[in-house]
C-alpha cells in the first residue's frame, strides 16, 4: 500500500511537471503538432517519451529503495538490526511480582553472530538472552531459568510496564512482544518498510543471476536455450494458427454458408481459456513439443479467425460498389479492396494472439516441460529462488514487449494506409 501511494504521488507530480514545465520548452514540428483537433483522434495520441522514461525510472527506484539496493541513492526504512531489550513482569501464585530483562540480538539472516550475555539478576524472574533474524520472530521461553515457572502457576502480567494477558500483543522499543496462549513470549523486531529478499530481491541480485545462468546454465540448459525454445514454440504455434485462422475468417466474412457452419464452433471455443485445454492436450499429445504447439495453435486460431472476419465485415460497402462499377472481378475485389482494408484488423488480432500465445507457452511450461522460460521459473519457485523467478519474469516481459514492437513496425511497413483510407 505504501509503495502504491508513493507511485501515485510520483505519477501525479511528474504529470504536472512535464505538462506545465518541460513541455513549454519543447516545440513539436511534425504533422501531429499541426492538428487542430486532437481529443478523440487516436492518430494524434503518441507516447510521451518523458512519461515513458520517468515511468521506468520510477519503477526501478521504488524496487531498489524497498529492497535496500546499493544501486539507488535512497532507501526506505529497513528492518531493525542490533540489540533490543524489553522487561517482563512475572507474577507468582502468591501475588508477588518480579521484573526480568530479555536481551535480543537481531541480525541479518545469513550472518554469523555471537550470543549476547546478560547477568541473570537476583529475583525469582531471571534475565534472559535470545537472537533472531531480521523479519523473523522468536519464541522466548522466558521462564526456563526462572525460579518460579509457568508450571508452578506463574504468569506474565506486564511488558515494559504495560499490562498484558495471554493472546495480547504490546509494542516495545524495537519491535513488539506477544504473549502466546500458553504464556510464553514471542518477540518480533520492527520489519521496516523494506521487503525481505526471499519475497523481492534487489536489482543487483537479479542481474547477477542473469550473468550466472547465461554462463553456467540452469537445469541442464543455458539461459538462451530456455528462451529460444519458448520463442520457437510461440512462433510455430502462432504461424499455424494464423495460417488456418485467417483463411477461415475470410471465408466466414464472405460466405453465409461458412459463417453459419463455423460460427457456433468459433464462438464456443473463443471464450475457453487456452490454459483450460492443457489437461486435454496432454492426454491427446503428451507433454512433448507437439502438445505445446497444438495448445498454442488453438490459442491463436480463434483470435485470428475473428480478427480476419471482422476485417472483412469492416470493409466499406461503398468501396465494394465502386470496384464493381469499374468492372473488377471477385479476385480483383479480393486483392485490391478486401485484403488491404482488412489487414489493419488482422494485425491487431495478430498482436493480441501473440500476447496470448506468449503467456500460454509460459503457463504450459509450468505444467510440463524440460526446458523453457516457464519451466525455469517453476523449478526456481520450488526452491524459493526468487531472484531467478524475477529474472524469468523480466525476460519474459522484455521479449513479449519486443515482439509487440516488431509487429507494430511490421504493421507500419506493410499497412502504411492504416487510418488514411
Amino acid at each position: 500500500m505504501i509503495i502504491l501511494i508513493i507511485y501515485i504521488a510520483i505519477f501525479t507530480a511528474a504529470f504536472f511537471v512535464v505538462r506545465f514545465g518541460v513541455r513549454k520548452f519543447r516545440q513539436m514540428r511534425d504533422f501531429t503538432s499541426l492538428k487542430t483537433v486532437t481529443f478523440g483522434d487516436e492518430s494524434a495520441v503518441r507516447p510521451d517519451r518523458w512519461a515513458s522514461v520517468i515511468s521506468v525510472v520510477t519503477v526501478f527506484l521504488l524496487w531498489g529503495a524497498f529492497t535496500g539496493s546499493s544501486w539507488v541513492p535512497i532507501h526506505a526504512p529497513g528492518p531493525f538490526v542490533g540489540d533490543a531489550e524489553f522487561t517482563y513482569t512475572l507474577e507468582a501464585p502468591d501475588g508477588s511480582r518480579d521484573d526480568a530483562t530479555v536481551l535480543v540480538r537481531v541480525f541479518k539472516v545469513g550472518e554469523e553472530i555471537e550470543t549476547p550475555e546478560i547477568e541473570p539478576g537476583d529475583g525469582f524472574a531471571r534475565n534472559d538472552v535470545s537472537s533472531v533474524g531480521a523479519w523473523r520472530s522468536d519464541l522466548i521461553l522466558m521462564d526456563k531459568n526462572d525460579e518460579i515457572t509457568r508450571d508452578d502457576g506463574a504468569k506474565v502480567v506486564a511488558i515494559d510496564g504495560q499490562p498484558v494477558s495471554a493472546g495480547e500483543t504490546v509494542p516495545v522499543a524495537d519491535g513488539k512482544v506477544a504473549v502466546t496462549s500458553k504464556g510464553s513470549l514471542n518477540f518480533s523486531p520492527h520489519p521496516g518498510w523494506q521487503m525481505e529478499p526471499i519475497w523481492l530481491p534487489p536489482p543487483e541480485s537479479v542481474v547477477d543471476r542473469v550473468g550466472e545462468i547465461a554462463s553456467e546454465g540452469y537445469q541442464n540448459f543455458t539461459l538462451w536455450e530456455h528462451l529460444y525454445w519458448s520463442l520457437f514454440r510461440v512462433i510455430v504455434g502462432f504461424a499455424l494458427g494464423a495460417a488456418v485462422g485467417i483463411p477461415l475468417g475470410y471465408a466466414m466474412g464472405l460466405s453465409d454458408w461458412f459463417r453459419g457452419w463455423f460460427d457456433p464452433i468459433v464462438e464456443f471455443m473463443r471464450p475457453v481459456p487456452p490454459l483450460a485445454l492443457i489437461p486435454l492436450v496432454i492426454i491427446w499429445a503428451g507433454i512433448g513439443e507437439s502438445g505445446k504447439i497444438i495448445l498454442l495453435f488453438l490459442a491463436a486460431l480463434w483470435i485470428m479467425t475473428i480478427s480476419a472476419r471482422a476485417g472483412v465485415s469492416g470493409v466499406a460497402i461503398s468501396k465494394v460498389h465502386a470496384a464493381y462499377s469499374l468492372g473488377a472481378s471477385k479476385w480483383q475485389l479480393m486483392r485490391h479492396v478486401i485484403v488491404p482494408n482488412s489487414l489493419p484488423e488482422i494485425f491487431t488480432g495478430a498482436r493480441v494472439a501473440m500476447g496470448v500465445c506468449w503467456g500460454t507457452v509460459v503457463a504450459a511450461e509450468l505444467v510440463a516441460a524440460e526446458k523453457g522460460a516457464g519451466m525455469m521459473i517453476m523449478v526456481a519457485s520450488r526452491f524459493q529462488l526468487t531472484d531467478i523467478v524475477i529474472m524469468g519474469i523480466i525476460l519474459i516481459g522484455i521479449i513479449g514487449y519486443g515482439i509487440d514492437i516488431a509487429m507494430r513496425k511490421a504493421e507500419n511497413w506493410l499497412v502504411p494506409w492504416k487510418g488514411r483510407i
Side-chain angles (χ1 to χ4, degrees):
M1 180 59 69
I2 295 174
I3 297 178
L4 179 60
I5 293 174
I6 295 175
Y7 183 83
I8 294 175
I10 294 175
F11 169 84
T12 305
F15 174 81
F16 284 104
V17 169
V18 173
R19 180 59 58 91
F20 301 107
V22 177
R23 184 167 290 184
K24 290 183 178 180
F25 300 96
R26 295 187 299 170
Q27 291 185 352
M28 300 291 292
R29 299 183 180 277
D30 57 3
F31 177 75
T32 302
S33 65
L34 302 178
K35 289 192 173 186
T36 57
V37 178
T38 57
F39 186 78
D41 182 4
E42 190 273 339
S43 65
V45 178
R46 297 183 179 179
D48 190 308
R49 298 307 176 190
W50 279 92
S52 299
V53 171
I54 295 174
S55 175
V56 174
V57 172
T58 297
V59 172
F60 178 79
L61 288 176
L62 288 176
W63 180 14
F66 283 88
T67 54
S69 172
S70 59
W71 288 4
V72 299
I74 56 175
H75 297 97
F80 173 78
V81 176
D83 290 340
E85 65 178 36
F86 62 90
T87 301
Y88 69 90
T89 302
L90 189 67
E91 184 179 82
D94 61 3
S96 59
R97 296 185 176 186
D98 189 25
D99 293 337
T101 298
V102 178
L103 175 62
V104 183
R105 178 155 295 174
V106 184
F107 59 93
K108 292 183 178 180
V109 177
E111 291 184 348
E112 295 184 0
I113 63 164
E114 296 182 0
T115 304
E117 297 182 357
I118 191 172
E119 293 294 330
D122 300 324
F124 60 81
R126 299 301 177 88
N127 300 331
D128 206 347
V129 295
S130 182
S131 59
V132 62
W135 290 293
R136 304 289 194 269
S137 62
D138 184 45
L139 184 64
I140 301 172
L141 304 177
M142 70 293 166
D143 60 348
K144 62 184 178 182
N145 59 351
D146 290 345
E147 292 184 356
I148 302 177
T149 67
R150 286 172 291 165
D151 293 338
D152 300 324
K155 61 180 180 180
V156 175
V157 295
I159 302 292
D160 281 351
Q162 305 175 66
V164 68
S165 58
E168 294 183 348
T169 302
V170 296
V172 294
D174 299 307
K176 59 183 179 181
V177 179
V179 180
T180 69
S181 58
K182 295 185 177 180
S184 57
L185 304 178
N186 190 286
F187 174 74
S188 301
H190 281 309
W193 289 3
Q194 294 183 14
M195 299 188 69
E196 189 176 357
I198 196 173
W199 306 120
L200 182 64
E204 55 265 33
S205 297
V206 177
V207 173
D208 290 342
R209 279 293 192 180
V210 174
E212 176 187 335
I213 296 179
S215 59
E216 301 177 9
Y218 187 71
Q219 295 294 312
N220 302 320
F221 293 95
T222 66
L223 175 63
W224 315 119
E225 287 177 320
H226 284 298
L227 298 177
Y228 163 79
W229 278 104
S230 294
L231 193 58
F232 170 78
R233 293 161 182 158
V234 168
I235 292 175
V236 173
F238 169 78
L240 293 176
V244 176
I246 293 176
L248 179 59
Y250 276 143
M252 293 177 65
L254 297 171
S255 169
D256 54 356
W257 176 260
F258 276 91
R259 182 71 169 265
W261 187 277
F262 288 104
D263 195 63
I265 300 173
V266 173
E267 294 301 331
F268 174 81
M269 292 300 300
R270 179 182 60 84
V272 177
L275 299 184
L277 302 174
I278 291 179
L280 188 60
V281 171
I282 291 176
I283 294 174
W284 285 350
I287 62 174
E289 295 302 318
S290 58
K292 296 178 182 62
I293 291 176
I294 291 173
L295 182 66
L296 297 172
F297 163 76
L298 294 174
L301 174 62
W302 316 118
I303 298 175
M304 297 307 300
T305 299
I306 292 174
S307 63
R309 186 187 69 186
V312 174
S313 302
V315 177
I317 191 64
S318 59
K319 296 179 180 179
V320 176
H321 289 164
Y324 277 132
S325 67
L326 294 173
S329 64
K330 289 185 177 180
W331 168 248
Q332 290 173 326
L333 178 69
M334 185 76 177
R335 178 183 176 186
H336 296 289
V337 178
I338 294 177
V339 171
N341 282 272
S342 63
L343 280 179
E345 286 282 355
I346 291 175
F347 267 97
T348 299
R351 289 174 57 188
V352 175
M354 281 295 289
V356 172
C357 286
W358 187 239
T360 301
V361 73
V362 172
E365 291 168 351
L366 290 173
V367 177
E370 295 180 354
K371 50 188 175 291
M375 173 267 179
M376 183 172 58
I377 292 174
M378 176 195 65
V379 174
S381 67
R382 291 178 180 174
F383 299 98
Q384 295 185 330
L385 301 175
T386 316
D387 46 3
I388 296 180
V389 174
I390 298 294
M391 177 200 73
I393 292 173
I394 292 175
L395 291 176
I396 288 169
I398 291 174
I399 293 175
Y401 187 41
I403 291 173
D404 189 72
I405 291 176
M407 297 197 70
R408 276 188 280 177
K409 295 294 184 183
E411 181 181 11
N412 293 336
W413 180 56
L414 296 173
V415 195
W417 55 86
K418 180 180 179 181
R420 295 182 174 86
I421 60 174

